[in-house]
Every structure is written in structure tokens, then in C-alpha cells.
């Protein structure tokens, strides 16, 4: 008994003194100067390229903002006071530039609210206005920006419900909107901590297989159910741009709202009961109904039951009608999909899905217009006789692209049949334009459609425009970027004026937008953004290509410090940053999609900052995990991880730049999982940094990442891949960082806490940093600066100044 008391006492003392009383810290000046900068604006533009709209925002939130009251219900995170998502990032200013002339004047939008918090931007159908929400302490209001006058105004005092999708919806006249409004009769929320339980919470299953991922923020009790219903319930109001408002539908749990292209019908999705404690709101029962513009009920399209059980596999879907959407080339025609295999990917079926269309009054069975061999993914509409459809099949990574005539039952033509991970064969995406309904359809000129592609190849990246004949289905290359020292992104092409809308950047030149003439290559610059990262402008940057021991081609982006002497080849410490990706064939796995001509724009999680501290950085290093035919990638996960890492270190070491005894490895999320495995099963690294990872796969027993087998299907895989199970092998210093409020499926904060306890108990060198109020990605300036400080201190001690 005495011995037990002493052990307990010693454990409590150890636990107490293992915690550090530390305040938020900042990284050293070299890094702080790069991470604490004024963010250049984001840019959006109308389809006609008449206006360029500049959206300004802060780099980071504050920890005070993240500390506002937050409710986490059924997959949502809500600020219950303002009724908008608690993690929303807001814009704080808007400017505009007219592209109709060459004046170059960027104008401040007048009439904006004081200290704006702008979100939910939504172009009007005629593209002359942008509706948006502004959030204040008292709630969310509707505002409209008129592009012609460059003036914004509040439309209504109504308080919008921005807790769940489709907050703002334009009617086709561009003069009225359908909005979600907080009901007047909304009752007070219940504080779950003040409720006295009346009994236990009981869950029962009668033989059904509910093999769901480990979702976060689920409903837990009746109080959560009540609060969820209150927070997602809205009235629907129709409001004119002049502020005249009228209730359109009474209170309900509305989610998606979709107005027909001609504006005569509205498709409304509502959440029904019962709710679930196993899945998020997206799997709750729903009904989909159609109303006329004046709110008269037309038809019920489908009633979907609670979805807790689906057939096994990533390609499983529910039975019955799904995926209702409007044809963008027709006034008011709906389409929907039905699984021909019952939604079960294990069943053999010549066709997986069938697509139907249905006209008003939207009753009964629609007309079949297409069957797809794989699982249906979507349609780009052209006209009555021409459309492009897409399907995909995850297990084989196959995708097919079909040309079909929606007016006939003629068999479609498969024009592309490829592995969607094969970047070199990517044909690109069809360019769209607005039709008479102001909806996007495929741009067709004289029987020709047009594709914009990324242009990845063995010799580099050269984006392109292809002309596609809608009759013969033949392609012709119209343009291919020829820059060898720059990167050109193509956003649009006008086949009549022969003008391209592009963005051009280089490793040292900040991205800017241009109009470019097709055959003369004349450029007209329309933005003049300057780089906020001048201090690293002259850093060495190169895409390094190398081979794994089995001959698989790999690559990474190598950064060296400014003024590093390439001839002297001083041996630098190195940081390797990566993220594993699964492939079903070696050809795709060996392709490089890295481009050294892209501008170096480090974000808060980047390791590039450390070139200012004298490190070499191999960023975005290839970490493919390949499993061909019947072999799954994860069957040899650990071995492939180590092979990838060794090949990367060998490649940079061969160049003569690094001290291979001072190499750190880092990763976020699945990359953190990678780090823990590498440190457990190799001696390649001096230290590791693992942020927001999962380390015990038995805590995600029904699949993770791209693994669709359950723990009971492949227990050896789950065991061998779990760093937690091999904690006794950890001999390398590991820094664990995790947001206390992580909302990502599978990466519960508990994953890092339990792993730390195991490593600590076995005597490993490990540090655990839990970030208050942070989710899977970090938002607050205080947390981000502190993460950078922690990483710098760890690298300085265990890599830069590693004891020999």
C-alpha cells in the first residue's frame, strides 16, 4: 500500500513539473519580418472582364476573436450571438478598377460599413452588383455593392441566418434576392452545463452496419438537438435591392436554396428529424421541394431518410434520387441521378449511375438522358444538343469524360478515359460563358469549344488552350505558354477578340494580371501588386529530381539561403517538409507537378522561413505510396515512406549542400503521421516536427485518408502504420503541436496527447504544444507566432546545434 502511495505521489509530481507556464512567444526577427506583413488583396472579376474587384483582409485573426462563444453542433461551428460560422475569415475592405478603359485608377468603394466584416459575396446574374453580408456584434446584415457607381449600401435591417449554406440567393432579374432570416419567434438557447440530466444517454443498434468515419462536433444530447434546431431554423424573405422585404416561407431548417435559370421556380432543401449522434447534419433526413417564385408549393422531389448506414467503400452512395440541379442551358429543367448498382460499389454493374431530367410540375419519373460507367460526377451544359459529362471511380483512379446529346438517347462518346492522378495527360477544363439566363455554359464559337489546361509534362509546366471540335471531337492546340523563367496561369480566352486573361509570376516577381493577345503576345498589365517578401527574393530555388531505390521518379523544391555560395557548398542543416499521397500506378506517382517559376509565397505553416536562419529547405518533397493492381498502397506504407525520405536526403546530399546528420523532417495532419512513422522506423533524421496529426489508427477503425478497409479487414496494416504502437522505437527528438479544438475527422487532440504520454512514459525526447481555441488549421496571430517560435527553438537545439 505504501509503495502504491509513493508511486502515485511521484507520478503527480512528475506530471506537475512537466507542464510549462508559458505565454505566447514570437519567432526571431528574421522570421517575424516575413510572417507579419500586409497581405496583398485577393482579386475577383466579372465574366466580361469589365471590373476587377480587390478584396482586402487581415493576415490572421486574434486569439480574442477565437475566444468568442462557439457552439459545435452536427459538424457546424457557430457563433450563437451573431449567427454566422465562428471560424469564418472576413474581408475588411473592397476596392475596384474598371477594365473598360486604361486609366489604371483603383477606386475605394464608398459607403462600406465601419470596421466591416464582409463575407458571403455573391455576384448578381447580370454581373453589375455583388451582394454580401456584413457581421456586427448584433448580427448579420445584407449589403449590395453596385459596380457601376462603386458604392455599397445596406439593403435591410433584417438579421440574416448565416449558420448554414445558401444565405444569399439572387433571382434572375438581378433586382431581388431570397435570403435566410432569423425568425422573430426564435427562443433562447439552452446552456447544456446548467441542465440536470434526467437519465443516461443510450444508443442501440439492431444489426445494421454504420461504418462511419470519426467525425468531430457531433450532437451529443437532447440539449444539442434543441440548440441545433434553433440555430439552423430560418424564415425565407424575398427582398428587393431597394430594401422592400416580404416573408416568402415560414420557419424551417432550410439548407440549400437553388433558383431556376429563368427565376420562375425555387428548389428548397430542408433538414428533418430524427437527428443523429453518429453523423453530421449532411446525413440528416432531408426533403427537397420545388416552389413557384411566389412561394406556391409545386412538388416534393424526394424525401431522404437518415443516412447512418451505407454500403462499404468510398464509392458507395444512397439509393434513390440524388443530386438534383438545374440545367443551366434551359429555363427550368431539373436533373437528378439514380444509382444503378443500388449504391453498392461491390456489386457488378455495366453502368453505375443514370441521369434523368424532369420538367415542371416535377412529378413522377424523369426522362433518361445518360448512363455513366463510373460514379457520376457532374455535367457541363452547352446547348440542347451538346453537353459534357464526367464520372470517376476512386478504386482505380479512373475518370471518363463523355460528349452526349441531351435531346436524344444516342449512346455518348467517351472523349477522355484516363487516370485522374496522371497530371501529364490532363486535357484541361472547358471554358464557360454566360448565356441569356446569366448561367455558365460551355463557350462554343462556330462549332468549337475550348479547353484550358495546366500543361504539366516531363519537361516542365506550360499551360495551354486547345480548340475542341464539337462535331468531330478533334483537338487543336491554339496556344501554349512558352515562358522558361516565368509561370503563366490562363483564366479565360475570347475566341472572337483572340484575347487571353492571364496571371504571370516568377520566383521573384509577385503574381499580376494581364490581357494578352493570342498571336502577337502583346501584354496589357492590369494590376501592379508588389512582393511583401523582398528579403528572400534572391534565395536559390530549384526543382530537384531524383529516383527512389526502386527507380520511381521523385522531386522536391529546394531552397537555399540568400547569398549562399553554390561553389563553396557549405554543409547546411536541412528541413524536409512533405505529405504522403497514395497512387494506384507508378506512372502517375512518378510525375512532377512542381514549378520553380512559381512565386515563393510562404504561408504560416511553411518551412521556407528558415532559409533566413541558415537552413536548406526541401519543400513539398514527393512521398508517393504506390499499390498497383490488387495491392493496396498502405500494404507497404512504412517501407515506402523510408525509401522516399532516404532518396530525398541522398539527392540533396549528392549536390553537396547539406550535412546529412543534421536533417529535420516535418509535416501537418497526414504529414505529421508520416513524421512519427519516419522517426520510429529510420535513423535518417536529427529531429521531427509533427503538427495536428493522428498516431493511433485503431482510433479511426473505419478508414482514414485513402484507406477504405476497416481495422477488422486489415488489422496488420492498422497496427504497422500506427506510430503509437511503436512508441518504444522512438529515439529522435519530436515536437508535437496540436490545436485543442481540432475539428478534422480522425485527428482528435487526444491523438497527440495519448502519443505524448506513451513517448514520455518510454523516455523519449518529446514536447507537446496544445494551442487553445485552434482548429485543424491555425488562425490566430498569437498561435501562429508561437508555433513558429516553438519550431525555431526545437530546430536550433536539435538540428542546427545538434550535439555531435
Amino acid at each position: 500500500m505504501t509503495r502504491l502511495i509513493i508511486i502515485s505521489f511521484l507520478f503527480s509530481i512528475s506530471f506537475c513539473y512537466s507542464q510549462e507556464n508559458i505565454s505566447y512567444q514570437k519567432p526571431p526577427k528574421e522570421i517575424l519580418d516575413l510572417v507579419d506583413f500586409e497581405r496583398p488583396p485577393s482579386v475577383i472579376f466579372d465574366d466580361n472582364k469589365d471590373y476587377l474587384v480587390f478584396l482586402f483582409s487581415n493576415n490572421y485573426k486574434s486569439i480574442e476573436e477565437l475566444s468568442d462563444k462557439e457552439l459545435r453542433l452536427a459538424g457546424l461551428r457557430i457563433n450563437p450571438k451573431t449567427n454566422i460560422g465562428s471560424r469564418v475569415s472576413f474581408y475588411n475592405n473592397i476596392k475596384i478598377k474598371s477594365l473598360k478603359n486604361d486609366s489604371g485608377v483603383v477606386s475605394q468603394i464608398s459607403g462600406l460599413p465601419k470596421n466591416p466584416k464582409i463575407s458571403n459575396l455573391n455576384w448578381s446574374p447580370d454581373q453589375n452588383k455583388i451582394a454580401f453580408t456584413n457581421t456586427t456584434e448584433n448580427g448579420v446584415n445584407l449589403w449590395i455593392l453596385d459596380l457601376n457607381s462603386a458604392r455599397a449600401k445596406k439593403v435591410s435591417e433584417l438579421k440574416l441566418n448565416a449558420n448554414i449554406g445558401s444565405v444569399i440567393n439572387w433571382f434572375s432579374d438581378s433586382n431581388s434576392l431570397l435570403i435566410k432570416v432569423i425568425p422573430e419567434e426564435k427562443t433562447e438557447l439552452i446552456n447544456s452545463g446548467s441542465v440536470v440530466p434526467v437519465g443516461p444517454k443510450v444508443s442501440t443498434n439492431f444489426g445494421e452496419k454504420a461504418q462511419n468515419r470519426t467525425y468531430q462536433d457531433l450532437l451529443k444530447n437532447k440539449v444539442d438537438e434543441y440548440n441545433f434546431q434553433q440555430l439552423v431554423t430560418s424564415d425565407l424573405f424575398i427582398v428587393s435591392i431597394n430594401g422592400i422585404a416580404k416573408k416568402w416561407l415560414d420557419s424551417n431548417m432550410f439548407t440549400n436554396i437553388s433558383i431556376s435559370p429563368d427565376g420562375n421556380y425555387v428548389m428548397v432543401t430542408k433538414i428533418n428529424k430524427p437527428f443523429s449522434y453518429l453523423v453530421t447534419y449532411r446525413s440528416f433526413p432531408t426533403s427537397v421541394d420545388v416552389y413557384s417564385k411566389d412561394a406556391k408549393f409545386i412538388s416534393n422531389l424526394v424525401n431522404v431518410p437518415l443516412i447512418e448506414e451505407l454500403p462499404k467503400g468510398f464509392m458507395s452512395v444512397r439509393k434513390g434520387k440524388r443530386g438534383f440541379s438545374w440545367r443551366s442551358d434551359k429555363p427550368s429543367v431539373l436533373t437528378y441521378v439514380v444509382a444503378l448498382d443500388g449504391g453498392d460499389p461491390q456489386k457488378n454493374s455495366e453502368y453505375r449511375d443514370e441521369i434523368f431530367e424532369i420538367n415542371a410540375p416535377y412529378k413522377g419519373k424523369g426522362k433518361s438522358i445518360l448512363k455513366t460507367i463510373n460514379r457520376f460526377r457532374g455535367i457541363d451544359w452547352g446547348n440542347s444538343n451538346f453537353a459534357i459529362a464526367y464520372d470517376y471511380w476512386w478504386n482505380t483512379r479512373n475518370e471518363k469524360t463523355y460528349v452526349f446529346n441531351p435531346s436524344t438517347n444516342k449512346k455518348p462518346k467517351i472523349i477522355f478515359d484516363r487516370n485522374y492522378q496522371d497530371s501529364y495527360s490532363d486535357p484541361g477544363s472547358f471554358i464557360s460563358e454566360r448565356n441569356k439566363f446569366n448561367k455558365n455554359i460551355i463557350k462554343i464559337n462556330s462549332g468549337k469549344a475550348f479547353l484550358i489546361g495546366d500543361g504539366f509534362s516531363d519537361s516542365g509546366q506550360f499551360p495551354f488552350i486547345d480548340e475542341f471540335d464539337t462535331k468531330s471531337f478533334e483537338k487543336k492546340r491554339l496556344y501554349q505558354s512558352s515562358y522558361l523563367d516565368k509561370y503563366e496561369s490562363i483564366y479565360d480566352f475570347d475566341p472572337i477578340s483572340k484575347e487571353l486573361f492571364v496571371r504571370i509570376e516568377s520566383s521573384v516577381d509577385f503574381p499580376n494580371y494581364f490581357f494578352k493577345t493570342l498571336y502577337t503576345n502583346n501584354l496589357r498589365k492590369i494590376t501592379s501588386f508588389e512582393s511583401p517578401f523582398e528579403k528572400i527574393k534572391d534565395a536559390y530555388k530549384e526543382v530537384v529530381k531524383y529516383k527512389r531505390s526502386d527507380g520511381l521518379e521523385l522531386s522536391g523544391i529546394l531552397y537555399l539561403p540568400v547569398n549562399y555560395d553554390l561553389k563553396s557548398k557549405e554543409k547546411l542543416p536541412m528541413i524536409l517538409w512533405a505529405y504522403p499521397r497514395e497512387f494506384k500506378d507508378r506512372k502517375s506517382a512518378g510525375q512532377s507537378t512542381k514549378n520553380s517559376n512559381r512565386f515563393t509565397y510562404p504561408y504560416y505553416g511553411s518551412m521556407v522561413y528558415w532559409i533566413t536562419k541558415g537552413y536548406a529547405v526541401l519543400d513539398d518533397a514527393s512521398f508517393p505510396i504506390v499499390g498497383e493492381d490488387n495491392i493496396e498502397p498502405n500494404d507497404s506504407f512504412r517501407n515506402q515512406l523510408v525509401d522516399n525520405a532516404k532518396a530525398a536526403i541522398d539527392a540533396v546530399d549528392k549536390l553537396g549542400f547539406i550535412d546529412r546528420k543534421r536533417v529535420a523532417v516535418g509535416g501537418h495532419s497526414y504529414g505529421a503521421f508520416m513524421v512519427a512513422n519516419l522517426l520510429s522506423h529510420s535513423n535518417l533524421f536529427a529531429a521531427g516536427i509533427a503538427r495536428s496529426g493522428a498516431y493511433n489508427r485503431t482510433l479511426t477503425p473505419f478508414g482514414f485518408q485513402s484507406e477504405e478497409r476497416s481495422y477488422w479487414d486489415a488489422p496488420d496494416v492498422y497496427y504497422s502504420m500506427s506510430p503509437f504502437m511503436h512508441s518504444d522505437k522512438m529515439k529522435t527528438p519530436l515536437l508535437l503541436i496540436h490545436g485543442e479544438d481540432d475539428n478534422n475527422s480522425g485527428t482528435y487532440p487526444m491523438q497527440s496527447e495519448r502519443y505524448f504520454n506513451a513517448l514520455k512514459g518510454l523516455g523519449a525526447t518529446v514536447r507537446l504544444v496544445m494551442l487553445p481555441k485552434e482548429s485543424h488549421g491555425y488562425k490566430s496571430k498569437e498561435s501562429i507566432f508561437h508555433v513558429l517560435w516553438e519550431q525555431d527553438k526545437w530546430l536550433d537545439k536539435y538540428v542546427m546545434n545538434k550535439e555531435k
Side-chain angles (χ1 to χ4, degrees):
M1 182 68 174
T2 304
R3 183 184 177 192
L4 289 176
I5 293 173
I6 292 172
I7 291 174
S8 176
F9 175 76
L10 290 174
F11 178 81
S12 65
I13 292 292
S14 173
F15 180 81
C16 177
Y17 280 92
S18 68
Q19 312 305 308
E20 291 188 22
N21 185 17
I22 190 170
S23 59
Y24 288 110
Q25 302 293 311
K26 293 181 180 180
K29 188 177 187 304
E30 301 96 322
I31 295 175
L32 188 62
D33 287 347
L34 291 172
V35 75
D36 194 13
F37 65 95
E38 185 175 345
R39 178 190 292 270
S42 303
V43 173
I44 59 174
F45 40 84
D46 64 299
D47 286 354
N48 291 331
K49 312 300 180 297
D50 290 333
Y51 296 101
L52 209 60
V53 180
F54 301 84
L55 304 172
F56 296 82
S57 62
N58 293 325
N59 262 340
Y60 316 107
K61 287 181 176 286
S62 69
I63 196 66
E64 183 179 4
E65 288 176 286
L66 288 189
S67 299
D68 285 346
K69 185 172 177 59
E70 177 182 72
L71 291 182
R72 304 170 189 172
L73 302 168
L76 296 172
R77 292 193 168 185
I78 294 169
N79 183 322
K81 182 178 180 181
T82 57
N83 286 288
I84 193 169
S86 54
R87 305 279 166 156
V88 172
S89 295
F90 298 106
Y91 297 111
N92 58 29
N93 194 15
I94 305 178
K95 295 182 180 181
I96 190 171
K97 177 178 181 179
S98 173
L99 301 180
K100 298 177 182 178
N101 55 60
D102 294 322
S103 68
V105 176
V106 178
S107 303
Q108 172 64 51
I109 295 298
S110 63
L112 289 173
K114 185 179 180 181
N115 301 318
K117 289 186 174 181
I118 296 167
S119 59
N120 294 300
L121 283 81
N122 195 328
W123 287 90
S124 64
D126 65 9
Q127 304 262 292
N128 290 323
K129 294 175 280 294
I130 298 176
F132 62 88
T133 61
N134 180 58
T135 301
T136 69
E137 290 182 354
N138 298 318
V140 179
N141 291 114
L142 174 66
W143 286 66
I144 289 181
L145 162 61
D146 183 277
L147 297 173
N148 294 315
S149 65
R151 182 171 180 79
K153 68 175 183 178
K154 185 197 285 187
V155 176
S156 170
E157 295 295 333
L158 289 170
K159 300 300 181 186
L160 274 62
N161 187 342
N163 290 328
I164 194 169
S166 299
V167 182
I168 300 172
N169 308 274
W170 283 98
F171 280 100
S172 60
D173 61 6
S174 294
N175 290 315
S176 54
L177 307 96
L178 193 60
I179 60 175
K180 290 182 177 179
V181 175
I182 301 294
E184 288 185 6
E185 65 275 15
K186 178 183 174 183
T187 58
E188 291 294 320
L189 302 178
I190 299 174
N191 182 352
S192 59
S194 65
V195 176
V196 178
V198 297
K201 182 178 73 175
V202 177
S203 300
T204 305
N205 190 64
F206 295 103
E208 298 87 358
K209 292 183 178 180
Q211 300 187 4
N212 295 300
R213 292 261 173 143
T214 47
Y215 299 114
Q216 312 265 39
D217 301 339
L218 298 176
L219 300 180
K220 300 178 181 66
N221 49 50
K222 290 295 181 182
V223 172
D224 281 356
E225 291 190 48
Y226 174 85
N227 287 342
F228 172 78
Q229 182 169 353
Q230 292 299 308
L231 288 167
V232 301
T233 295
S234 306
D235 290 338
L236 294 186
F237 272 72
I238 187 169
V239 58
S240 73
I241 58 174
N242 296 318
I244 301 172
K246 178 183 178 182
K247 185 180 284 190
W248 194 79
L249 277 184
D250 287 331
S251 298
N252 215 312
M253 290 182 283
F254 301 112
T255 55
N256 297 324
I257 296 170
S258 180
I259 300 173
S260 64
D262 63 4
N264 289 329
Y265 299 95
V266 182
M267 181 169 54
V268 177
T269 304
K270 306 170 216 175
I271 296 175
N272 300 316
K273 292 184 176 181
F275 300 149
S276 171
Y277 297 176
L278 292 179
V279 291
T280 67
Y281 77 92
R282 297 181 186 279
S283 297
F284 288 1
T286 55
S287 57
V288 183
D289 300 318
V290 178
Y291 294 83
S292 65
K293 183 179 179 180
D294 56 1
K296 292 181 180 178
F297 177 79
I298 301 296
S299 176
N300 169 252
L301 298 175
V302 68
N303 292 307
V304 182
L306 174 64
I307 305 171
E308 288 185 342
E309 302 94 25
L310 280 176
K312 186 178 177 181
F314 291 166
M315 290 287 91
S316 63
V317 295
R318 64 174 178 81
K319 294 180 180 179
K321 299 175 182 178
R322 71 179 201 277
F324 284 90
S325 63
W326 299 105
R327 277 188 62 166
S328 56
D329 64 325
K330 295 289 185 180
S332 53
V333 177
L334 277 170
T335 64
Y336 64 89
V337 188
V338 174
L340 298 176
D341 57 6
D344 187 349
Q346 305 300 319
K347 290 183 179 178
N348 292 325
S349 183
E350 182 180 4
Y351 296 99
R352 294 289 176 178
D353 281 329
E354 186 170 12
I355 299 87
F356 297 84
E357 69 174 24
I358 189 168
N359 295 284
Y362 313 110
K363 298 182 185 295
K365 185 178 179 180
K367 182 186 78 171
S368 175
I369 57 172
L370 179 70
K371 293 180 181 179
T372 58
I373 296 170
N374 295 325
R375 192 66 73 209
F376 174 73
R377 196 175 65 187
I379 294 177
D380 290 338
W381 298 101
N383 53 45
S384 297
N385 302 311
F386 180 83
I388 300 290
Y390 307 89
D391 70 15
Y392 77 111
W393 198 250
W394 178 86
N395 305 76
T396 59
R397 311 304 196 267
N398 177 256
E399 71 173 8
K400 293 178 172 60
T401 304
Y402 306 78
V403 171
F404 74 104
N405 185 336
S407 299
T408 69
N409 287 323
K410 187 176 178 181
K411 188 175 181 179
K413 170 73 174 179
I414 297 175
I415 54 172
F416 306 125
D417 190 347
R418 55 185 291 273
N419 183 321
Y420 60 73
Q421 291 184 314
D422 181 0
S423 299
Y424 293 178
S425 71
D426 189 344
S429 301
F430 284 94
I431 302 176
S432 65
E433 64 179 356
R434 287 193 165 255
N435 62 7
K436 62 182 180 181
F437 304 116
N438 285 310
K439 298 295 183 181
N440 284 324
I441 60 170
I442 297 171
K443 181 181 289 188
I444 301 175
N445 181 58
S446 301
K448 304 294 194 296
F450 305 91
L451 291 151
I452 294 177
D454 290 329
F456 291 111
S457 69
D458 271 329
S459 54
Q461 184 180 6
F462 304 97
F464 62 83
I465 300 173
D466 280 349
E467 180 183 86
F468 180 84
D469 192 297
T470 60
K471 301 295 183 183
S472 68
F473 310 145
E474 293 181 353
K475 287 194 302 178
K476 174 185 175 183
R477 183 64 43 96
L478 291 183
Y479 174 81
Q480 183 148 6
S481 180
S482 58
Y483 290 115
L484 297 178
D485 59 349
K486 297 180 180 179
Y487 171 66
E488 179 179 32
S489 307
I490 306 172
Y491 287 88
D492 199 7
F493 169 65
D494 186 339
I496 298 176
S497 68
K498 308 300 182 187
E499 196 169 55
L500 291 76
F501 184 61
V502 301
R503 190 179 75 174
I504 298 175
E505 63 192 275
S506 76
S507 60
V508 297
D509 298 312
F510 195 85
N512 277 290
Y513 293 85
F514 300 80
F515 284 118
K516 183 174 187 176
T517 307
L518 180 61
Y519 296 116
T520 65
N521 286 335
N522 289 334
L523 289 172
R524 177 160 64 94
K525 191 173 185 178
I526 57 177
T527 62
S528 298
F529 300 133
E530 296 182 356
S531 170
F533 306 114
E534 285 294 305
K535 289 188 176 182
I536 59 171
K537 181 179 72 171
D538 297 323
Y540 181 83
K541 180 180 181 181
E542 176 190 1
V543 174
V544 178
K545 295 186 177 182
Y546 49 95
K547 290 185 178 181
R548 204 164 72 175
S549 61
D550 60 359
L552 187 66
E553 297 279 353
L554 305 177
S555 61
I557 304 177
L558 178 64
Y559 297 87
L560 299 176
V562 176
N563 298 325
Y564 178 79
D565 187 345
L566 293 172
K567 293 182 180 178
S568 69
K569 294 190 175 181
E570 176 191 354
K571 299 293 186 179
L572 302 174
M574 186 177 83
I575 306 168
L576 185 157
W577 192 264
Y579 189 95
R581 301 185 188 279
E582 298 86 349
F583 293 86
K584 285 299 290 180
D585 73 300
R586 289 174 58 85
K587 177 185 173 184
S588 301
Q591 294 177 351
S592 175
T593 57
K594 301 170 183 66
N595 191 331
S596 60
N597 294 325
R598 300 296 298 264
F599 179 75
T600 303
Y601 197 131
Y603 72 108
Y604 80 84
S606 174
M607 290 290 116
V608 174
Y609 298 122
W610 272 268
I611 61 174
T612 66
K613 298 293 298 294
Y615 291 83
V617 175
L618 187 64
D619 194 32
D620 193 22
S622 299
F623 265 69
I625 309 297
V626 186
E628 295 187 299
D629 301 323
N630 295 324
I631 304 299
E632 291 300 321
N634 285 339
D635 291 348
S636 55
F637 179 83
R638 280 170 26 188
N639 290 339
Q640 293 194 60
L641 273 190
V642 174
D643 284 350
N644 291 330
K646 185 176 184 303
I649 296 170
D650 286 347
V652 186
D653 185 34
K654 187 176 180 180
L655 294 173
F657 298 144
I658 64 168
D659 174 359
R660 66 180 301 138
K661 293 183 178 179
R662 293 187 296 156
V663 178
V665 61
H668 189 97
S669 191
Y670 206 55
F673 176 69
M674 169 202 75
V675 169
N677 267 296
L678 283 171
L679 299 191
S680 299
H681 304 293
S682 76
N683 295 310
L684 297 169
F685 299 100
I689 298 171
R691 299 195 312 241
S692 298
Y695 308 102
N696 185 347
R697 296 279 51 136
T698 68
L699 297 177
T700 57
F702 291 110
F704 57 90
Q705 204 70 7
S706 292
E707 179 57 70
E708 67 174 357
R709 295 172 296 184
S710 75
Y711 168 77
W712 295 273
D713 295 326
D716 291 344
V717 171
Y718 276 68
Y719 180 87
S720 68
M721 288 180 68
S722 295
F724 180 87
M725 305 300 181
H726 307 280
S727 298
D728 58 322
K729 298 183 177 72
M730 179 63 71
K731 301 295 186 291
T732 306
L734 174 61
L735 173 62
L736 293 167
I737 302 174
H738 214 123
E740 284 187 351
D741 297 332
D742 195 331
N743 64 335
N744 184 54
S745 174
T747 56
Y748 292 110
M750 177 181 68
Q751 288 271 5
S752 286
E753 293 167 339
R754 295 287 174 84
Y755 189 39
F756 171 79
N757 286 335
L759 293 173
K760 176 178 166 56
L762 292 165
T765 299
V766 60
R767 180 178 176 88
L768 173 63
V769 180
M770 300 299 293
L771 303 171
K773 308 298 180 181
E774 295 292 350
S775 185
H776 192 61
Y778 314 144
K779 290 273 192 178
S780 76
K781 175 183 286 192
E782 292 85 351
S783 294
I784 288 167
F785 287 2
H786 188 83
V787 165
L788 295 169
W789 178 81
E790 290 279 1
Q791 292 177 161
D792 184 65
K793 291 294 183 182
W794 197 256
L795 292 167
D796 189 63
K797 181 175 183 179
Y798 293 109
V799 182
M800 177 65 76
N801 298 302
K802 178 187 177 183
E803 295 181 4
K804 297 182 180 179

